[in-house]
Protein backbone atom coordinates (compact mmCIF):
# COMPACT_ATOMS: atom_id res chain seq x y z
CA UNK A 1 0.00 0.00 0.00
CA UNK A 2 1.37 3.40 -0.93
CA UNK A 3 1.92 5.92 1.84
CA UNK A 4 -0.41 8.89 1.19
CA UNK A 5 1.47 11.12 3.64
CA UNK A 6 3.47 13.01 0.97
CA UNK A 7 0.23 13.97 -0.74
CA UNK A 8 -1.53 14.98 2.48
CA UNK A 9 1.38 16.60 4.33
CA UNK A 10 -0.21 20.05 4.34
CA UNK A 11 -3.57 18.97 5.73
CA UNK A 12 -2.63 19.19 9.40
CA UNK A 13 -0.09 22.00 9.43
CA UNK A 14 -2.67 24.41 10.84
CA UNK A 15 -3.90 21.94 13.44
CA UNK A 16 -7.13 19.93 13.72
CA UNK A 17 -10.13 21.07 11.72
CA UNK A 18 -13.57 21.53 13.29
CA UNK A 19 -16.37 19.33 11.98
CA UNK A 20 -17.68 21.63 9.25
CA UNK A 21 -14.20 22.64 8.05
CA UNK A 22 -12.50 19.24 7.84
CA UNK A 23 -10.77 18.82 4.46
CA UNK A 24 -11.94 15.27 3.78
CA UNK A 25 -15.64 15.77 4.44
CA UNK A 26 -16.32 16.38 0.75
CA UNK A 27 -14.36 15.72 -2.47
CA UNK A 28 -14.51 18.88 -4.67
CA UNK A 29 -11.39 20.83 -5.61
CA UNK A 30 -11.76 24.53 -4.85
CA UNK A 31 -9.59 27.53 -5.64
CA UNK A 32 -12.00 30.42 -6.02
CA UNK A 33 -15.66 30.73 -5.13
CA UNK A 34 -18.10 33.05 -6.84
CA UNK A 35 -21.48 33.60 -5.18
CA UNK A 36 -24.18 33.55 -7.85
CA UNK A 37 -27.16 34.95 -6.04
CA UNK A 38 -28.86 35.27 -2.69
CA UNK A 39 -32.02 33.19 -2.78
CA UNK A 40 -33.32 34.31 0.59
CA UNK A 41 -32.03 35.69 3.87
CA UNK A 42 -31.24 32.12 4.99
CA UNK A 43 -29.71 30.53 1.90
CA UNK A 44 -26.97 31.46 -0.57
CA UNK A 45 -26.26 29.76 -3.89
CA UNK A 46 -22.70 29.59 -5.17
CA UNK A 47 -20.38 27.91 -7.63
CA UNK A 48 -16.70 26.91 -7.40
CA UNK A 49 -14.37 25.72 -10.15
CA UNK A 50 -10.81 24.49 -10.41
CA UNK A 51 -8.39 22.67 -12.71
CA UNK A 52 -5.53 20.41 -11.67
CA UNK A 53 -3.02 18.52 -13.82
CA UNK A 54 -2.31 14.91 -12.85
CA UNK A 55 0.45 12.70 -14.20
CA UNK A 56 -1.73 9.70 -14.95
CA UNK A 57 -3.97 9.04 -17.93
CA UNK A 58 -7.64 9.98 -17.88
CA UNK A 59 -8.78 6.32 -18.24
CA UNK A 60 -6.71 5.18 -15.26
CA UNK A 61 -7.80 8.09 -13.07
CA UNK A 62 -11.41 7.46 -14.08
CA UNK A 63 -11.23 3.80 -13.09
CA UNK A 64 -9.69 4.57 -9.73
CA UNK A 65 -11.28 7.83 -8.60
CA UNK A 66 -14.70 7.41 -10.22
CA UNK A 67 -15.40 3.72 -10.84
CA UNK A 68 -13.84 2.32 -7.68
CA UNK A 69 -13.40 5.04 -5.03
CA UNK A 70 -15.26 2.81 -2.57
CA UNK A 71 -12.44 0.27 -3.00
CA UNK A 72 -9.46 2.59 -3.41
CA UNK A 73 -10.04 5.35 -0.85
CA UNK A 74 -10.14 3.15 2.29
CA UNK A 75 -7.08 1.31 0.95
CA UNK A 76 -5.06 4.48 0.38
CA UNK A 77 -6.40 6.55 3.28
CA UNK A 78 -7.39 4.13 6.09
CA UNK A 79 -6.82 6.79 8.74
CA UNK A 80 -9.50 8.95 7.14
CA UNK A 81 -11.93 6.38 5.69
CA UNK A 82 -12.73 3.35 7.82
CA UNK A 83 -14.72 1.78 4.99
CA UNK A 84 -16.81 2.61 1.95
CA UNK A 85 -19.44 0.97 -0.18
CA UNK A 86 -21.36 1.48 -3.40
CA UNK A 87 -25.06 0.75 -3.38
CA UNK A 88 -26.31 -0.04 -6.88
CA UNK A 89 -24.60 0.36 -10.23
CA UNK A 90 -24.22 3.15 -12.77
CA UNK A 91 -26.33 6.29 -12.68
CA UNK A 92 -28.44 6.27 -9.54
CA UNK A 93 -25.90 4.35 -7.48
CA UNK A 94 -24.90 5.77 -4.10
CA UNK A 95 -21.35 5.97 -2.73
CA UNK A 96 -21.15 5.86 1.06
CA UNK A 97 -17.91 6.82 2.81
CA UNK A 98 -17.49 6.16 6.54
CA UNK A 99 -14.99 8.38 8.34
CA UNK A 100 -12.15 7.08 10.51
CA UNK A 101 -10.75 8.82 13.65
CA UNK A 102 -8.16 10.94 11.82
CA UNK A 103 -10.98 12.67 9.96
CA UNK A 104 -11.98 14.37 13.23
CA UNK A 105 -15.56 13.36 12.50
CA UNK A 106 -17.82 11.86 15.20
CA UNK A 107 -17.76 8.07 15.49
CA UNK A 108 -20.03 6.56 12.85
CA UNK A 109 -20.07 9.66 10.63
CA UNK A 110 -20.51 9.10 6.92
CA UNK A 111 -21.14 10.87 3.62
CA UNK A 112 -23.63 9.69 0.97
CA UNK A 113 -23.39 10.84 -2.66
CA UNK A 114 -25.76 9.83 -5.46
CA UNK A 115 -24.31 9.44 -8.96
CA UNK A 116 -26.29 11.47 -11.51
CA UNK A 117 -23.87 11.49 -14.48
CA UNK A 118 -21.42 8.70 -15.39
CA UNK A 119 -20.12 9.14 -18.94
CA UNK A 120 -16.96 7.19 -19.69
CA UNK A 121 -16.78 8.46 -23.28
CA UNK A 122 -16.07 12.00 -22.04
CA UNK A 123 -14.83 11.04 -18.56
CA UNK A 124 -17.59 13.16 -17.05
CA UNK A 125 -18.84 12.39 -13.56
CA UNK A 126 -21.38 14.16 -11.41
CA UNK A 127 -22.87 13.38 -8.05
CA UNK A 128 -25.10 15.08 -5.54
CA UNK A 129 -24.67 14.83 -1.79
CA UNK A 130 -27.75 13.37 -0.16
CA UNK A 131 -26.81 12.87 3.47
CA UNK A 132 -23.94 13.33 5.93
CA UNK A 133 -20.77 15.37 5.56
CA UNK A 134 -21.56 19.06 5.18
CA UNK A 135 -25.24 18.50 4.38
CA UNK A 136 -27.34 19.93 7.18
CA UNK A 137 -24.24 21.34 8.88
CA UNK A 138 -23.02 24.03 6.51
CA UNK A 139 -24.79 23.25 3.23
CA UNK A 140 -28.35 22.58 2.14
CA UNK A 141 -27.22 20.99 -1.13
CA UNK A 142 -24.00 20.13 -2.92
CA UNK A 143 -23.51 19.05 -6.56
CA UNK A 144 -20.07 18.00 -7.73
CA UNK A 145 -18.94 17.52 -11.33
CA UNK A 146 -15.57 16.42 -12.66
CA UNK A 147 -14.27 16.02 -16.20
CA UNK A 148 -10.92 14.36 -16.87
CA UNK A 149 -9.48 15.83 -20.06
CA UNK A 150 -6.57 13.88 -21.60
CA UNK A 151 -3.48 16.06 -21.99
CA UNK A 152 -1.00 13.35 -22.95
CA UNK A 153 -0.49 9.60 -22.96
CA UNK A 154 0.09 9.65 -19.21
CA UNK A 155 -1.47 12.88 -18.04
CA UNK A 156 -4.82 14.59 -17.79
CA UNK A 157 -6.45 17.75 -16.49
CA UNK A 158 -9.19 17.36 -13.91
CA UNK A 159 -11.79 20.09 -14.39
CA UNK A 160 -13.96 20.40 -11.34
CA UNK A 161 -17.17 22.30 -10.70
CA UNK A 162 -19.17 22.46 -7.50
CA UNK A 163 -22.57 24.09 -7.08
CA UNK A 164 -24.00 24.50 -3.61
CA UNK A 165 -26.61 26.15 -1.43
CA UNK A 166 -25.46 27.19 2.01
CA UNK A 167 -27.27 27.37 5.31
CA UNK A 168 -27.15 30.41 7.54
CA UNK A 169 -27.60 33.16 4.96
CA UNK A 170 -23.96 33.59 3.93
CA UNK A 171 -21.55 32.27 1.32
CA UNK A 172 -18.60 30.00 2.15
CA UNK A 173 -15.72 31.99 3.55
CA UNK A 174 -12.12 31.68 2.39
CA UNK A 175 -11.36 29.94 5.68
CA UNK A 176 -14.04 27.35 4.95
CA UNK A 177 -13.05 26.86 1.31
CA UNK A 178 -9.30 26.35 1.75
CA UNK A 179 -9.32 23.15 3.84
CA UNK A 180 -11.91 21.59 1.52
CA UNK A 181 -9.72 22.41 -1.45
CA UNK A 182 -6.54 21.14 0.23
CA UNK A 183 -8.19 17.91 1.32
CA UNK A 184 -9.70 17.26 -2.08
CA UNK A 185 -6.42 17.82 -3.86
CA UNK A 186 -4.75 15.53 -1.33
CA UNK A 187 -7.16 12.72 -2.16
CA UNK A 188 -6.59 12.99 -5.91
CA UNK A 189 -2.84 13.24 -5.38
CA UNK A 190 -2.96 10.08 -3.29
CA UNK A 191 -4.72 8.29 -6.15
CA UNK A 192 -2.20 9.68 -8.60
CA UNK A 193 0.70 8.52 -6.42
CA UNK A 194 -0.76 5.04 -6.08
CA UNK A 195 -1.21 4.70 -9.83
CA UNK A 196 2.31 5.98 -10.53
CA UNK A 197 3.73 3.46 -8.06
CA UNK A 198 1.62 0.67 -9.55
CA UNK A 199 1.71 1.13 -13.35
CA UNK A 200 -0.17 -2.12 -14.00
CA UNK A 201 -3.20 -1.09 -11.91
CA UNK A 202 -6.12 0.08 -14.08
CA UNK A 203 -3.81 -0.09 -17.11
Amino acid sequence: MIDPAPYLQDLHKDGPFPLHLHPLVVRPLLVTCFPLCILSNKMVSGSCTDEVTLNVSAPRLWKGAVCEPHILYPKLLPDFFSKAERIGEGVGAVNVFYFAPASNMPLGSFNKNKIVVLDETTYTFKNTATEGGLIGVLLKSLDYESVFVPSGADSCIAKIKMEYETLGGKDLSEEEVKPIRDGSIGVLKAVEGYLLANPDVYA
Side-chain angles (χ1 to χ4, degrees):
M1 180 178 71
I2 192 169
D3 181 7
Y7 312 105
L8 300 172
Q9 61 184 351
D10 293 331
L11 295 187
H12 297 294
K13 65 182 180 181
D14 296 323
F17 292 97
L19 170 63
H20 70 288
L21 295 183
H22 196 275
L24 290 175
V25 171
V26 291
R27 295 175 52 201
L29 302 174
L30 308 176
V31 170
T32 53
C33 286
F34 303 95
L36 299 181
C37 61
I38 298 178
L39 301 181
S40 70
N41 61 353
K42 293 185 178 181
M43 185 171 63
V44 172
S45 178
S47 176
C48 303
T49 61
D50 189 29
E51 293 187 6
V52 59
T53 299
L54 299 165
N55 294 314
V56 294
S57 69
R60 294 186 72 207
L61 186 64
W62 175 267
K63 291 174 183 176
V66 174
C67 295
E68 296 191 348
H70 55 298
I71 297 173
L72 202 56
Y73 287 4
K75 177 181 178 180
L76 297 182
L77 304 166
D79 290 340
F80 291 92
F81 300 106
S82 61
K83 63 178 181 177
E85 61 181 324
R86 175 166 291 178
I87 302 171
E89 296 291 337
V91 174
V94 174
N95 287 324
V96 187
F97 298 94
Y98 298 87
F99 297 107
S103 69
N104 290 338
M105 297 288 285
L107 184 65
S109 294
F110 61 89
N111 189 10
K112 287 186 179 181
N113 300 286
K114 183 179 180 180
I115 298 173
V116 295
V117 175
L118 191 65
D119 187 349
E120 189 171 359
T121 62
T122 60
Y123 303 114
T124 300
F125 169 79
K126 184 176 181 179
N127 68 17
T128 184
T130 61
E131 187 178 355
L134 295 180
I135 300 300
V137 178
L138 188 64
L139 302 177
K140 178 183 178 182
S141 67
L142 174 66
D143 294 321
Y144 168 84
E145 181 181 72
S146 66
V147 182
F148 301 148
V149 180
S151 57
D154 296 304
S155 65
C156 67
I157 300 172
K159 296 186 175 184
I160 310 299
K161 181 179 181 180
M162 183 185 77
E163 296 179 323
Y164 59 85
E165 292 178 338
T166 69
L167 298 173
K170 61 178 182 179
D171 195 18
L172 298 179
S173 68
E174 184 175 333
E175 179 188 25
E176 291 162 334
V177 167
K178 187 179 185 303
I180 298 173
R181 168 185 174 263
D182 291 348
S184 299
I185 292 175
V187 170
L188 277 186
K189 285 293 184 179
V191 174
E192 176 193 39
Y194 173 73
L195 296 180
L196 288 174
N198 298 271
D200 294 332
V201 174
Y202 304 132

